[in-house]
Amino acid sequence: MSEQRRLRLRLEISREAARLFWEQGVAATSGDQIAEAVGLSTRTIWRHFRSKESCAEPIVMQGVVTLMSVLRAWPRQSSLEDHLAAELARLRHETPPVDLADEMLAMKMIRLADTEPALRTAWLMACDQTERELGVIIGGRLERPADDLEVRIHAAAAAAAVRVLEEHIGAAALAGADLSEFTDMRVLARRYAQEIRRATGGVVGDPVA
């Protein structure tokens, strides 16, 4: 099996597991049920995942894929606010990296993670990957290696800001709250940029020469 096909299969399994977790709860969902929902053998599920809870990991990671793809393309001459606003507006008229249905499933799993320790682990693993990628992005802008102590501290702070915002938006969306703050792309971009600036003491956000 090619790596691309393996990743597609893992995501397909993850979608069905996430739907079952949300509809009937993690405890009430078995590996056999996940396998039946995908149309695979239970043995195949365990070849791709170490536990039923870990099946949520690929879909949970989808919750930050779009933001990270945007940040990786951040030009040195642009402020974070301007870049996020332009890219988020562009994605409204193009095919985004992650399907909206997958993003909603990710939000549901992040919400469930509040009360399900095993799912919390999946979400924190996604956040750890976000932190590592932010280390590369921030290191590049500061012209320092990603493992530089200061870069790592700024990456950890920025990743924490992203995590809290993602959790806040997900909880608000699933509770049916007013999301006007998050549907205006310029306002949303400004909010993310503002929190990343605040978390990093203003080091991350400005254009660099």
Side-chain angles (χ1 to χ4, degrees):
M1 181 181 292
S2 70
E3 180 64 10
Q4 187 175 20
R5 185 182 173 194
R6 186 185 74 84
L7 291 174
R8 282 201 304 268
L9 180 57
R10 277 175 55 84
L11 184 56
E12 182 181 349
I13 294 169
S14 190
R15 286 187 183 112
E16 295 304 326
R19 290 190 183 103
L20 288 169
F21 290 160
W22 184 253
E23 290 169 4
Q24 61 190 36
V26 177
T29 300
S30 67
D32 291 339
Q33 289 176 318
I34 295 170
E36 183 179 356
V38 187
L40 298 170
S41 69
T42 305
R43 179 178 296 181
T44 300
I45 301 297
W46 302 141
R47 273 206 301 267
H48 290 277
F49 295 95
R50 64 189 179 278
S51 66
K52 69 176 183 182
E53 293 85 359
S54 69
C55 291
E57 290 170 8
I59 204 70
V60 166
M61 189 62 203
Q62 297 292 78
V64 293
V65 164
T66 299
L67 179 61
M68 295 314 300
S69 69
V70 167
L71 287 175
R72 281 193 292 269
W74 182 13
R76 294 175 63 83
Q77 69 273 18
S78 295
S79 70
L80 184 54
E81 289 86 348
D82 289 346
H83 175 63
L84 286 178
E87 287 299 292
L88 291 176
R90 178 181 64 81
L91 287 173
R92 295 194 71 172
H93 305 289
E94 298 181 11
T95 303
V98 175
D99 184 78
L100 179 59
D102 280 353
E103 288 203 355
M104 288 303 298
L105 272 176
M107 285 183 184
K108 289 177 177 178
M109 292 304 97
I110 293 167
R111 190 75 178 107
L112 268 186
D114 286 343
T115 55
E116 293 284 351
L119 294 187
R120 189 69 180 172
T121 298
W123 173 225
L124 292 179
M125 286 177 64
C127 293
D128 180 70
Q129 180 62 32
T130 299
E131 181 180 325
R132 292 174 187 274
E133 291 197 40
L134 281 169
V136 175
I137 293 165
I138 293 171
R141 295 185 76 80
L142 299 181
E143 297 184 341
R144 297 185 184 183
D147 61 357
D148 176 85
L149 178 59
E150 184 177 349
V151 169
R152 289 185 62 194
I153 290 172
H154 291 319
V162 169
R163 175 181 62 79
V164 172
L165 273 172
E166 291 285 329
E167 291 174 352
H168 176 71
I169 294 169
L174 296 175
D178 179 14
L179 296 179
S180 57
E181 176 185 2
F182 306 112
T183 53
D184 183 313
M185 292 298 103
R186 188 159 290 277
V187 172
L188 180 63
R190 188 166 59 247
R191 184 66 183 276
Y192 270 95
Q194 178 186 53
E195 297 306 335
I196 289 174
R197 281 181 183 275
R198 181 182 302 171
T200 60
V203 172
V204 179
D206 288 337
V208 293

